[in-house]
Amino acid sequence: MKKEPSSSAMVTVHEVARVAGVSAATVSRFLNGTARVSEDKRQAIESVISKLNYKPNVLAQNLKMGSSRTVGVLTQSLMSGYFADALAGVDEALQGTGYAPLIVSGHWHADEEAERIELLIARRVDGLVILSGKLKDAQILKLSQRVPIVAFGRELQGPRAYGFCLDNYWGACEAVEHLIVQGHRNIAFIGGPSDHTDALARLAGYRDTLAKHRIKEKQQLIVAGDFQESSGLLAVERLLESGQRFSAIFCANDLTAYGARLALYRRGIRVPEDISLIGFDDLHSSMYTTPPLTTVRQPLFDVGKSLGRAIVKMIGNEAHDVDVPQLNLVVRESVRRVG
């Protein structure tokens, strides 16, 4: 064997080959497992790798083979517990597959989402997971011509694209049905963004469930929101100032319910003794509010796992049948029976 390099030198494939007395191509074939290497050469290479503590450049190897072994994940907020649960699910699904997630945020801006996706594609990700957002379906289908994509929050079906939604309409129906069963008839609704499909489905569920029970819808009890805590607080202020009577509030998501709860507290209005409150999402913190929040649970961790498993199968050109998780009502202490 040849003279070893100093320990301070950065060890390369060529150094390993020189010390082992073989060609760099032989070392590469051994590392990649792309061809058989004779027993004496294998032993020599393994001995040198051990002595020199050689660490292969996995990224370079993968790129030579046409893969970065990474999955790009586009979320909308790195601060949100909602997206954190889904990201954790994606991460768990990728464990043991040889793929690692590369996460970026689009901040609910279509142009920023498109820019971030281009950055991910430029970094040679093998697939993309998109968690909600403002991009049009047609844009995603076009991007899928360049890289496989799975998406949450939209129905997609293409040769290299798949997307699914949870049944937000059904979840909203369950929430309002629960309030009606508890005797509530004057039910306010604080909605989400007017261009958000989930928010529109929850509004439709609210309206249709009232109609099903022949409860007249009161437009003054429907207040716009934006899925943020501040919009819940402001919406309750508007509801109280309107002079309309109501005994319960259905909030389009849990964050809105948190803001609504604060507004009621500041007015000295008790939950649920005076006003019942119900949310949508079941964020981790919802079981620790005062009182613990009744809400519709979105199994976002399971959603993330389903997305992660699907993208790995798509990358491998395998069938990607997805078991879409189901919503369910979580009854806690923020709703009381009336009448």
Side-chain angles (χ1 to χ4, degrees):
M1 299 210 315
K2 310 297 184 183
K3 181 181 177 182
E4 297 180 11
S6 66
S7 59
S8 62
M10 181 177 291
V11 182
T12 66
V13 168
H14 294 282
E15 287 292 343
V16 171
R18 182 180 64 79
V19 176
V22 299
S23 69
T26 298
V27 176
S28 294
R29 288 196 299 271
F30 169 77
L31 293 171
N32 296 333
T34 55
R36 286 184 60 83
V37 177
S38 65
E39 182 63 20
D40 59 333
K41 289 181 179 179
R42 182 189 66 77
Q43 291 180 2
I45 293 169
E46 287 180 344
S47 176
V48 172
I49 287 174
S50 177
K51 288 181 179 179
L52 302 185
N53 194 28
Y54 170 68
K55 304 294 183 185
N57 187 332
V58 177
L59 177 60
Q61 289 177 338
N62 287 336
L63 289 177
K64 284 182 181 179
M65 299 173 70
S67 169
S68 67
R69 306 298 290 181
T70 58
V71 170
V73 183
L74 173 69
T75 183
Q76 299 306 317
S77 171
L78 297 174
M79 302 293 290
S80 166
Y82 177 95
F83 288 108
D85 281 354
L87 289 171
V90 173
D91 183 63
E92 177 161 306
L94 295 182
Q95 289 181 22
T97 66
Y99 290 95
L102 185 58
I103 302 167
V104 298
S105 178
H107 302 108
W108 293 108
H109 295 294
D111 291 343
E112 188 171 352
E113 290 173 30
E115 177 189 351
R116 293 303 175 91
I117 287 176
E118 288 296 336
L119 288 173
L120 290 171
I121 293 175
R123 282 161 174 74
R124 305 279 295 276
V125 295
D126 297 304
L128 280 172
V129 173
I130 297 178
L131 300 174
S132 198
K134 298 283 191 176
L135 287 177
K136 303 293 185 184
D137 289 357
Q139 290 176 277
I140 293 176
L141 289 171
K142 186 174 182 180
L143 287 165
S144 71
Q145 297 172 11
R146 301 162 63 188
V147 62
I149 296 175
V150 295
F152 173 57
R154 63 186 75 225
E155 300 286 348
L156 283 177
Q157 195 70 50
R160 302 215 306 168
Y162 174 78
F164 67 86
C165 300
L166 300 184
D167 196 341
N168 287 273
Y169 174 83
W170 180 88
C173 291
E174 286 291 292
V176 179
E177 184 78 26
H178 178 66
L179 291 172
I180 292 172
V181 167
Q182 297 304 312
H184 297 277
R185 294 296 180 269
N186 294 308
I187 302 169
F189 176 72
I190 304 175
S194 60
D195 61 348
H196 196 292
T197 55
D198 291 355
L200 294 174
R202 293 170 197 177
L203 174 59
Y206 164 81
R207 285 176 161 160
D208 289 354
T209 306
L210 292 182
K212 170 187 168 184
H213 288 273
R214 295 182 173 82
I215 299 173
K216 184 178 180 181
E217 176 187 316
K218 298 177 181 178
Q219 189 59 42
Q220 299 94 325
L221 292 182
I222 300 175
V223 184
D226 62 8
F227 283 161
Q228 300 302 315
E229 296 94 333
S230 57
S231 72
L233 188 150
L234 293 172
V236 167
E237 293 292 340
R238 288 180 57 187
L239 285 168
L240 294 174
E241 290 169 4
S242 72
Q244 290 291 318
R245 294 182 60 189
F246 58 95
S247 63
I249 306 173
F250 170 36
C251 298
N253 73 343
D254 283 4
L255 293 181
T256 299
Y258 299 166
R261 176 70 184 90
L262 177 58
L264 294 170
Y265 168 77
R266 287 178 171 172
R267 292 289 192 104
I269 299 171
R270 300 168 301 168
V271 175
E273 292 84 358
D274 301 321
I275 298 290
S276 290
L277 190 64
I278 194 166
F280 202 113
D281 284 341
D282 193 26
L283 301 179
H284 287 307
S285 50
S286 293
M287 68 178 72
Y288 299 109
T289 57
T290 307
L293 184 67
T294 293
T295 184
V296 177
R297 180 175 184 267
Q298 293 204 72
L300 295 167
F301 181 80
D302 294 335
V303 165
K305 285 203 298 184
S306 294
L307 293 167
R309 290 168 179 164
I311 195 61
V312 170
K313 289 183 177 180
M314 288 183 72
I315 292 169
N317 294 313
E318 301 176 38
H320 54 277
D321 293 335
V322 174
D323 183 16
V324 178
Q326 300 301 306
L327 300 169
N328 65 285
L329 182 69
V330 179
V331 177
R332 295 197 179 101
E333 302 168 40
S334 64
V335 175
R336 70 180 287 263
R337 184 170 185 81
V338 297

